[in-house]
Amino acid sequence: MKALKYFAVAAVIFSVVACNSSKPAGVAKDLVPTKGEIDTISYLVGINFGSFIKGYNLGDLNFTEIKKGIDDFVNSKGNQRDSNFVKQFKINPEVMNMAMQSFIEKRAAYTGAINKAEQAKYFDEVKKMPGVESSESGLCYLIKEPGSDVKPGPQDTVYVHYKLSLKDGTVIEEVPEGEDPVMLTLNRVIPGWTEGLQLLGEGGKATLYVPAELGYGERGSNAIEPNTPLVFDITLDSIKPYVEPVTE
C-alpha cells in the first residue's frame, strides 16, 4: 500500500503544479510563484522521487518513461474516482502495488544471489588472515584483546562500542570511543553477535566477520543488502549478568 500511497501523493503534487501553471489575467503578481520558488519545489519533488527510488532499491530506471508517466498524469482529464480515469494511461496505475512488489522481490533475489557468491569468496580470504579463527557456525573472528576472564552468557546484557562495516570497508553505523556505550541483550541481537560476544572477556576487543546467515540473512535490513556479510569492530566495555526473575 505504501507504493500506491506514494503515487497518490505524487498525483496531488503534480495536479497542483498543473493547476498553477497558467496565469489568468487580473491575478495579483505577488501571488504568482517566482521562477526561483518553482525551481526550488521542482528540485525538492525530484529529491522526493529520488528518495523513493533509492529507498526501494529500484536500481537503474528508465527516466524517459518516468517523465512520460509524469506528463501523462499532469495532462490527464476527469475525476480520479471515475473508473474510466485510469484508461488514459498506458499502464493502469492501480496495478502499481502488485507490479512494484514483484519488481522489488525479483531485484532482491538477484542481488542476494550475487552477494551469496561473493560472500563465499570473501570468507575464503578472511580465513587466511593472520590470527583469524572460525567456528562451526561460519563465524570468523579476530581477538585483538581478550579482556578479563569474565565473559557474557547468552542472556546477559552487554555495554559496547562498535563499528559496523561492509566487506569493502563502507561504514554503516558506529558508536565510537568517547561516546556512551550501547546496551544490548545477547539473546535479542543477530546470531553473530550472540556467539561472538561470548568469546570475548570484559574489556576485550575483537573483529567479528559475520556471514549473512548469522546476520540479516536473505532479507537484509535498511542499508544492508540481502546475503551481505558484516564486519564488526567491537569493544566489550562491561557486562550485566542475567538475573532469573523471581516467581512468587
Side-chain angles (χ1 to χ4, degrees):
M1 293 299 294
K2 187 174 181 180
L4 191 56
K5 182 179 179 181
Y6 182 88
F7 177 83
V9 171
V12 171
I13 292 172
F14 286 112
S15 293
V16 171
V17 172
C19 290
N20 289 322
S21 60
S22 59
K23 300 178 181 178
V27 175
K29 290 183 178 181
D30 60 350
L31 298 180
V32 178
T34 66
K35 181 182 183 301
E37 290 172 329
I38 292 173
D39 289 349
T40 294
I41 294 304
S42 299
Y43 183 75
L44 291 175
V45 169
I47 286 179
N48 200 1
F49 272 105
S51 173
F52 174 73
I53 292 168
K54 189 172 183 178
Y56 279 98
N57 190 26
L58 299 181
D60 296 326
L61 297 180
N62 186 334
F63 282 83
T64 299
E65 287 298 303
I66 291 176
K67 179 63 166 57
K68 179 171 174 50
I70 291 172
D71 289 340
D72 285 352
F73 189 88
V74 170
N75 295 321
S76 62
K77 307 293 183 183
N79 192 324
Q80 295 179 45
R81 297 179 182 179
D82 190 328
S83 59
N84 290 320
F85 179 80
V86 296
K87 294 180 180 179
Q88 302 175 77
F89 307 109
K90 182 173 70 173
I91 301 171
N92 187 342
E94 292 177 355
V95 306
M96 186 173 186
N97 284 341
M98 182 175 63
M100 280 283 293
Q101 186 67 27
S102 175
F103 185 80
I104 290 169
E105 289 176 355
K106 190 170 185 179
R107 274 190 54 81
Y110 174 75
T111 300
I114 292 176
N115 288 344
K116 190 170 186 177
E118 291 181 349
Q119 174 176 269
K121 297 177 183 178
Y122 174 68
F123 274 91
D124 285 342
E125 295 301 316
V126 168
K127 292 174 182 178
K128 298 175 184 178
M129 295 168 60
V132 171
E133 301 181 63
S134 59
S135 68
E136 292 183 2
S137 69
L139 176 71
C140 290
Y141 55 93
L142 173 63
I143 305 296
K144 297 176 179 177
E145 297 179 20
S148 71
D149 292 334
V150 180
K151 296 182 178 181
Q155 298 186 79
D156 288 349
T157 296
V158 297
Y159 295 82
V160 299
H161 288 89
Y162 73 93
K163 179 173 69 174
L164 165 59
S165 307
L166 302 180
K167 61 183 177 64
D168 65 0
T170 301
V171 177
I172 300 299
E173 60 186 34
E174 183 176 11
V175 182
E177 301 288 343
E179 293 187 4
D180 292 336
V182 173
M183 181 183 72
L184 300 166
T185 303
L186 289 188
N187 62 355
R188 298 178 182 177
V189 293
I190 59 173
W193 270 63
T194 304
E195 179 182 353
L197 267 293
Q198 293 182 74
L199 303 171
L200 199 58
E202 194 171 49
K205 298 183 178 183
T207 299
L208 304 181
Y209 301 91
V210 180
E213 295 78 9
L214 302 178
Y216 294 101
E218 296 181 350
R219 297 183 64 85
S221 174
N222 298 325
I224 300 170
E225 293 182 344
N227 290 333
T228 296
L230 306 172
V231 181
F232 291 94
D233 291 297
I234 300 174
T235 299
L236 175 54
D237 293 280
S238 60
I239 302 167
K240 181 180 179 181
Y242 172 76
V243 177
E244 191 72 39
V246 177
T247 56
E248 298 181 0

